Amino acid sequence: MQRKSFGGMSCPIARSLERVGEWWSILILRDAFLGVTQFDQFQKSLGIAPNMLTRRLNALVESGLLERRLYQAHPPRHEYALTERGRDFRPVLWALLAWGNKHFAPEGPSVIVVDRETGQPADPVLVDRVTGKEMTADTFRSAPGPAADEYQRTRHSPSQEVVR
Amino acid sequence: MQRKSFGGMSCPIARSLERVGEWWSILILRDAFLGVTQFDQFQKSLGIAPNMLTRRLNALVESGLLERRLYQAHPPRHEYALTERGRDFRPVLWALLAWGNKHFAPEGPSVIVVDRETGQPADPVLVDRVTGKEMTADTFRSAPGPAADEYQRTRHSPSQEVVR
DNA sequence: CAGTATCCTGTCCGATACTG
DNA sequence: CAGTATCGGACAGGATACTG
């Protein structure tokens, strides 16, 4: 994704996609959250070609989502561990999972999220931490932030936001 | 993404990525949420080549995220409107936005989400609708669902899930 | 086991020209 | 205005062979 520039570069979503836009990246992160740390574990789990895995792992390390650590000196062996930035990606993954379960699992969900204590299935929903309100298109909207430029401001003019 | 199969096909995340894995798709959805409905609005906003826009719009329509509606007969004019499936994708977009703002906006966020009523900036956080608990890696984990096959079950064995 | 090195193919994507 | 048609390049991704 070394694209020079593209529509709405300054948008945080676009910037996020620069790091995880390639589709293997997200699946690698998914596996990392399941506890996978080693090269060949990723490879077996994903069925990805080794050279591609190298490329994607390096990209994730460069983006600061994974950390490459030497866990054995002779012979040199590395593990790939989630950084804080990587761990912060989990809500995105869970939101994606919930969406997929709702819309693309006619026979019922194959993977769910459960409460560690009770084992009860969770129903992931996005809320505003400040007010506790559920975030829907009716109650919230996007808006220019403090670092917005003129371009952003025009995009988020209230007149535009027809879809609620 | 007519890939025949890939690692963890039955995973809901992988299935989601089949629909929105290409990176333009997500940016198109982002714009759709901002109220963009017409071809050339998308094109100008995204700076995407027209043939690519056609492909991505068609793919999103086929996946049931957008609906192509004739809003004018002579000459025939279409608009692209979010379906319910498409609107349900918004939490993913907001989670992606929050993640991007936290990690890739050194000069502060350019786009934020605000409460429609109060105008106050929101802090999107994922919680379990059932218990109201914030969903972190410490309190929740993924697990095989009712439709899980043996493959899923082995992947989600507790012993594997080292990363919390 | 944990990768690296090559080679090849598909296709994503951009640029441009064209049409009702 | 809303696309379709065509061309070409870059690169994601696969297959395979090789190495310490």
Side-chain angles (χ1 to χ4, degrees):
Chain A
M1 188 141 324
Q2 353 328 10
R3 214 167 267 88
K4 318 85 218 165
S5 101
F6 62 94
M9 204 42 176
S10 55
C11 166
I13 293 176
R15 270 197 297 241
S16 297
L17 290 177
E18 285 180 72
R19 276 75 178 201
V20 295
E22 270 116 48
W23 130 159
W24 275 126
S25 306
I26 293 188
L27 293 179
I28 288 174
L29 289 174
R30 176 201 66 181
D31 277 9
F33 278 114
L34 288 174
V36 175
T37 59
Q38 291 172 37
F39 192 91
D40 82 314
Q41 294 176 338
F42 283 112
Q43 204 191 331
K44 280 202 207 81
S45 164
L46 296 166
I48 184 178
N51 53 352
M52 281 313 305
L53 181 54
T54 299
R55 287 205 327 226
R56 296 272 64 87
L57 284 175
N58 287 342
L60 288 170
V61 169
E62 274 170 42
S63 299
L65 298 182
L66 292 181
E67 200 181 357
R68 195 163 181 256
R69 277 198 302 241
L70 195 70
Y71 71 90
Q72 176 186 306
H74 306 289
R77 290 288 175 269
H78 299 90
E79 63 178 357
Y80 297 88
L82 287 161
T83 61
E84 193 207 337
R85 181 178 288 180
R87 285 191 298 272
D88 281 345
F89 191 70
R90 197 161 220 185
V92 179
L93 240 26
W94 274 337
L96 216 41
L97 184 146
W99 184 69
N101 274 343
K102 176 165 181 189
H103 288 284
F104 308 112
E107 351 70 33
S110 57
V111 181
I112 58 175
V113 185
V114 299
D115 191 312
R116 280 188 191 273
E117 277 184 45
T118 67
Q120 288 302 304
D123 183 6
V125 55
L126 208 63
V127 304
D128 176 10
R129 188 196 301 274
V130 184
T131 63
K133 275 199 261 186
E134 179 176 349
M135 294 182 63
T136 71
D138 289 327
T139 52
F140 290 84
R141 63 180 177 87
S142 52
D149 52 21
E150 195 45 47
Y151 172 73
Q152 297 291 341
R153 243 174 285 279
T154 58
R155 290 173 70 85
H156 293 266
S157 67
S159 65
Q160 273 218 3
E161 194 157 358
V162 183
V163 177
R164 314 173 44 116
Chain B
M1 190 142 323
Q2 339 347 355
R3 214 168 265 88
K4 317 86 220 168
S5 101
F6 63 93
M9 203 42 175
S10 55
C11 165
I13 292 176
R15 271 198 296 241
S16 297
L17 290 178
E18 284 180 70
R19 276 74 178 202
V20 295
E22 270 118 47
W23 138 150
W24 278 126
S25 306
I26 293 188
L27 293 180
I28 288 174
L29 289 173
R30 177 200 65 180
D31 276 10
F33 278 114
L34 288 174
V36 174
T37 59
Q38 292 173 34
F39 192 90
D40 80 315
Q41 292 176 337
F42 283 111
Q43 202 191 331
K44 281 203 206 82
S45 163
L46 296 166
I48 186 179
N51 52 351
M52 282 312 305
L53 181 54
T54 299
R55 292 225 299 248
R56 297 271 65 86
L57 284 174
N58 287 342
L60 288 170
V61 168
E62 274 171 41
S63 298
L65 297 181
L66 292 181
E67 201 182 358
R68 194 160 181 261
R69 278 198 302 244
L70 195 71
Y71 71 91
Q72 176 186 306
H74 305 291
R77 288 288 175 271
H78 299 90
E79 63 178 356
Y80 297 89
L82 287 161
T83 62
E84 193 206 338
R85 179 178 288 181
R87 284 191 299 272
D88 282 345
F89 191 70
R90 197 160 219 186
V92 180
L93 240 27
W94 275 338
L96 215 42
L97 184 145
W99 184 69
N101 274 344
K102 176 166 180 189
H103 289 283
F104 307 112
E107 352 68 32
S110 57
V111 180
I112 58 176
V113 186
V114 300
D115 190 313
R116 279 188 191 272
E117 276 183 45
T118 68
Q120 287 302 304
D123 184 6
V125 55
L126 209 63
V127 304
D128 177 10
R129 188 197 302 276
V130 184
T131 63
K133 275 199 262 188
E134 179 175 349
M135 294 182 63
T136 72
D138 289 327
T139 51
F140 289 84
R141 63 181 177 87
S142 52
D149 52 20
E150 195 46 46
Y151 172 73
Q152 296 291 338
R153 244 174 286 278
T154 58
R155 290 173 68 85
H156 293 267
S157 68
S159 66
Q160 271 220 2
E161 193 157 359
V162 184
V163 176
R164 316 173 44 118

